[in-house]
Amino acid sequence: MTRTKNNWRIGLMAGAITTALVTTACAGAGGGGAGGGGDSDEESINVLMVGNPQMVDIQELTADTFTKDTGIKVNYTVLPENQLRDKVTQDVASQAGQYDIASVGAYETALWQKNGWLHEMSSFADADSTYDSADLLAPVADSLKGEDGKLYALPFYGESSFLMYRKDIFEKEGLKMPDKPTWDEVAKLAAEVDGAEPGMKGICLRGLPGWGEMFAPLTTVVNTFGGTWFTQDWQAQVNSPEFTEAVDFYVKLIREHGEEGAASAGFTECLNAMSQSKVAMWYDATSAAGSLENPESSKVVGKVGYAYAPVKETEYSGWLWSWNWVMPKTTKKTDAASKFALWATSKEYEKTVGEKLGWSRVPSGKRASTYELAEYKEASGDFGALTLESIQNTDPTNPGVQPRPTVGVQYVTIPEFQDLGTKVSQSISAALTGSGTVKEALDSGQKEAEEVAKNYQGK
Amino acid sequence: MSTSTLEKRGTFLNRRKKDSRGEGDIAEKGGPVWTIVAWVATLLFFAPVAWMVLTSLHTEADAATNPPTLFSGITFENYGALFDRGVGPYLINSAMASIVSTLLVLALSIPAAYALSIRPVEKWTDVMFFFLSTKFLPAIAALLPIYLLVKRVGMLDNIWVLVILYTAMNLPIAVWMMQSFLAEVPKEILEAASVDGAGVLRSLWSIVVPMATPGIAATSLICFIFSWNEFLFAVNLTATISSTSPVFLVGFISSQGLFLAKLCAAATLVSLPVLIAGFAAQDKLVRGLSLGAVK
């Protein structure tokens, strides 16, 4: 009996080892080249990127297109945004040179370019006669340029923000969404559609703390309410009447008609809520529309209408963001790395994605020509043209009612903003849950902002 | 070796096997209430794992529903996506770093524990404290110097760096566990073996190691699990060639789009070898822990 038990356990141990070996062997056979390192006899580059759906698509397409055409093998490392920022900073600051290309946002591009960490990309783009830099959307391209007027990143996809709403619910309730709604109108509409279906709330707005989470939409609200983080001469304005009014409005709207569990709702949670018919409106990134119209992940396909980002004092208030490919100065493979960046941001790549994966998955929001493609026009339906117009109407230099010290719509382009924005958003999140007040949050934020401002005043 | 030595060793091992099967007094003291408590506790601890597996078998849309759906359509597409994204090299790297470092830890910790328990060196308690003191510093505090050192010697993105680090990180725990376990080996048996002419190596191999098998198994498994799951050094010291499976896992986290089902599928697959090994060695693991450092 004991012998049988021992044999059974030995067999199970052997099974564990076999499982490990089989899974690794099978996986190795099916691997797409990620993380596996490159063969020494062929040229390869190392790419670090976030795991957004558009990046997963490029990973899938690389071997059969880019590598096949150029012979350059691409080794991808995929990390979440925060880890990626840390990793690139560490890699560049220590001159380790482990990565030849990285995907970064517009905020990091501006900061790292000033630090002298990035290769300029204009010369590579200009040297490629098929690239057509003039086709890049002006606000997107401008946000990636240095003071010398050169591009320091090539845009992979761009986005603004707009209001998404349930056409069928509005029709049922006899309501009409204006093309350019004001925030006051949106608040009234949220009250009307709150509870239009069992368990349905009026609107989803990000309440998850984080400078890139809650403060992406909230800073656009602050901008259009007449507020700003800093004046042009670096006077902190976090508890100014305009900033306070905007945050009060945002918190009140969420508490009265917003999603369940708002303090932990970011982009993903709001996407879930809208896709699962739990909210009737959602103000967020234009890039969300592709997911809402994807039958594989959404239950509201064809039922969503789109309107400009709501406003109050300004004509437009959409944000501007792009994910871009940058080439750290530490790379020793500028030729191969620039070929990859040019390919990934080219018109041809967009066509490849459209033909192989579907036109709704094209990394759009960076080229005007994308919106002229008949297939993309059909796939992007109601939201394509509005996305283009929203991006074109953004003004990163002057997004509000007063001059700004840095360029950027929903963020202040200084390294301290990540920490400042996150801290203030944590206090506002406490106000959302009732464990604090907006005034307390902004008074505390003002002190933090004043400390930050001291680093820049008089310079 | 004489028959008497082997008989003593056999009696000792049989006694311990009997204890490990719960045939002693302890089992008789438990009643139905404690059985229910044990089952409830077990289910509570197992629930997140079951939830992870169930979620991995849903589509992203179903996995994202609120409230969660338990038994909506089952699909294996998320597991297919893992292989499309090339999980293989990451698993191989994890296996390499974990298995080799565990073997090295055993090779170093068993002789060290022997010298600290069976034939104690002078001031052996100070030595034990020294081993433990190497765990006082938080790993994050050591990261920057280690990073700079590894970069200086040109070994960034090299799996052998992780092997060395995991060996160093797990060695103090292994020495403590093995020392506690070897302290239970009756000295009379070793003396009898010595009288029979067995040297140190023969005693270690033929007497100590067989008696300490549960302890070695428990120590191995714990070192293996710690190495397999380690993230901080793996994410900072590796790039594209030597990344391990925890680094692969976090790559599914996205600020744009749904990822929960795929993340759960990756977590399930990566947990599988450890879960099976842990299940197979569970009695040795429990006995090793109860007789070892946690005693």
Side-chain angles (χ1 to χ4, degrees), chain A residues 48-101:
Chain A
L48 180 61
M49 63 183 187
V50 291
N52 294 352
Q54 292 86 342
M55 278 70 170
V56 176
D57 287 345
I58 201 170
Q59 195 174 2
E60 190 180 331
L61 294 171
T62 300
D64 290 339
T65 50
F66 180 70
T67 303
K68 196 175 171 185
D69 293 341
T70 62
I72 300 167
K73 187 179 177 187
V74 183
N75 303 314
Y76 288 103
T77 301
V78 186
L79 289 176
E81 270 185 65
N82 288 340
Q83 264 95 20
L84 180 137
R85 286 191 189 101
D86 292 346
K87 187 89 177 164
V88 178
T89 306
Q90 181 190 60
D91 195 52
V92 177
S94 69
Q95 301 285 303
Q98 293 187 89
Y99 294 101
D100 305 298
I101 288 278

Side-chain angles (χ1 to χ4, degrees), chain A residues 121-122 124-136 151 153-156 325 338 341-348 366-367 369:
Chain A
M121 305 292 285
S122 286
F124 299 103
D126 295 342
D128 185 343
S129 57
T130 62
Y131 188 71
D132 193 6
S133 299
D135 184 42
L136 297 175
L151 284 168
L154 296 180
F156 186 42
W325 299 108
S338 62
L342 290 170
W343 166 74
T345 58
S346 66
K347 295 176 187 174
E348 288 70 29
K366 63 174 185 292
R367 286 185 173 277
S369 60

Side-chain angles (χ1 to χ4, degrees), chain A residues 369-380:
Chain A
S369 60
T370 313
Y371 298 89
E372 290 162 11
L373 296 168
E375 298 94 332
Y376 184 74
K377 271 186 184 172
E378 191 184 340
S380 62

Side-chain angles (χ1 to χ4, degrees), chain A residues 12 16 24 27 30-32 34-37 46 51-53 75 77-78 80-81 87 90 94 96 98-99 157 159 267 272 276 278, chain B residues 61 64-66 83 85-92 147 151 235-236 238-241 250-251 254-258 276-277 279-280:
Chain A
L12 205 52
T24 52
N46 294 338
N52 294 352
N75 303 314
T77 301
V78 186
E81 270 185 65
K87 187 89 177 164
Q90 181 190 60
S94 69
Q98 293 187 89
Y99 294 101
Y157 67 94
E159 66 182 31
F267 175 91
N272 288 344
Q276 304 299 323
K278 299 288 183 190
Chain B
T65 53
N66 185 18
F83 293 105
R85 279 178 72 164
V87 67
Y90 297 93
L91 287 171
I92 291 168
Y147 177 86
K151 179 185 167 279
V235 77
N236 283 291
T238 66
T240 53
I241 298 169
V250 298
S254 166
S255 58
Q256 295 186 330
L258 306 178
I276 295 173
F279 186 62

